[in-house]
Amino acid sequence: MEFTLKDGTTSFRFPVKPEELTISRSKGYETINMLEYGEFDFAQGEKVKEITFSSFFPKEYDASYCMYEPVPDPRVAMNILNTFLVSKKPLRFIISNTGVNVPVYLISHNTTFRGGESGDIYFDITLRTWRDSKVEKVGAAASASKSGSRTDLKKSSKTYTVKSGDSLSKIAKLELGSSSKWNEIYKLNVKTIGSDPNRIKPGQKLVMP
């Protein structure tokens, strides 16, 4: 079982397998305090997973615990982790022979030097799994997005179908509240009505102001 961090072309294998690894999973929630009723928790989405483990970089190779040889110089290994720490791109964390192969950020890296073990460097690492920030659209918004069309925010024009016995002043009174507004209707429908505003015909569709 090997522990590896990859950053594009850079691949780093940890020389000493951690004794244990912890993966923390939790669900987000929001607490609302309602007067007279107390607190209520409302579940939200799953939080980002945290992966933590500890190990060390040995100065010298020892077959009893080293995964490969030659082992990297501890200072060089620490510099690689520091590069990963400041990287703004997600890394890939892989544990061979397991199902762990996930994109992560290295968010915490603590170093310890112990007396009597000259050259060895101990460390604690915290990784957080990365996921794409895109949010899936649902309902009508998703349908509009897939078709490539945009939502039409313009109001559709109101129309009126002329009936027998109608006049522009009568229509203006019924639809606009004042017969004196007949001229507004006429201006919008000159092409339909013609030069004489008094000669409207049943069945004609007039655009209303």
Side-chain angles (χ1 to χ4, degrees):
M1 183 184 296
E2 294 183 344
F3 290 66
T4 304
L5 273 176
K6 290 186 176 181
D7 178 18
T9 58
T10 303
S11 179
F12 179 75
R13 287 189 300 159
F14 291 88
V16 179
K17 182 172 63 177
E19 293 184 1
E20 63 180 25
L21 176 143
T22 302
I23 300 178
S24 300
R25 299 176 177 88
S26 61
K27 178 187 291 185
Y29 67 93
E30 181 180 4
T31 300
I32 296 178
N33 194 337
M34 297 183 181
L35 295 177
E36 298 183 3
Y37 296 100
E39 292 185 342
F40 292 85
D41 289 338
F42 295 89
Q44 298 177 336
E46 181 186 12
K47 287 187 175 181
V48 172
K49 299 180 183 69
E50 284 195 354
I51 303 171
T52 58
F53 62 90
S54 302
S55 187
F56 72 100
F57 296 126
K59 179 65 176 178
E60 304 292 340
Y61 173 79
D62 188 322
S64 63
Y65 51 76
C66 291
M67 301 293 294
Y68 60 87
E69 62 175 329
V71 293
D73 182 275
R75 291 171 296 179
V76 173
M78 294 304 297
N79 286 336
I80 292 174
L81 291 186
N82 287 334
T83 300
F84 288 165
L85 183 65
V86 299
S87 175
K88 295 183 179 180
K89 296 181 179 180
L91 313 167
R92 184 156 290 276
F93 180 56
I94 302 169
I95 304 177
S96 62
N97 301 320
T98 71
V100 178
N101 186 335
V102 292
V104 298
Y105 282 116
L106 173 56
I107 63 164
S108 177
H109 171 214
N110 300 315
T111 303
T112 302
F113 298 91
R114 298 181 181 177
E117 300 182 29
S118 179
D120 293 348
I121 299 179
Y122 291 77
F123 63 86
D124 303 309
I125 277 182
T126 300
L127 308 171
R128 283 172 63 88
T129 53
W130 173 88
R131 57 189 176 195
D132 199 339
S133 59
K134 293 180 180 178
V135 178
E136 183 179 354
K137 297 180 180 179
V138 296
S143 299
S145 177
K146 289 180 181 178
S147 64
S149 62
R150 298 177 61 183
T151 303
D152 187 5
L153 299 179
K154 295 181 180 179
K155 293 183 180 179
S156 57
S157 299
K158 183 180 178 180
T159 60
Y160 177 87
T161 302
V162 177
K163 302 179 183 64
S164 178
D166 277 345
S167 65
L168 290 184
S169 59
K170 180 180 179 180
I171 295 171
K173 177 66 175 179
L174 292 173
E175 298 295 321
L176 305 180
S178 174
S179 58
S180 63
K181 294 183 178 180
W182 69 267
N183 196 40
E184 295 180 23
I185 301 174
Y186 179 61
K187 288 179 181 179
L188 293 176
N189 298 276
V190 172
K191 292 183 179 180
T192 301
I193 298 172
S195 59
D196 187 350
N198 295 314
R199 300 187 64 178
I200 58 175
K201 301 176 182 178
Q204 287 179 326
K205 286 189 175 181
L206 305 180
V207 178
M208 303 302 294

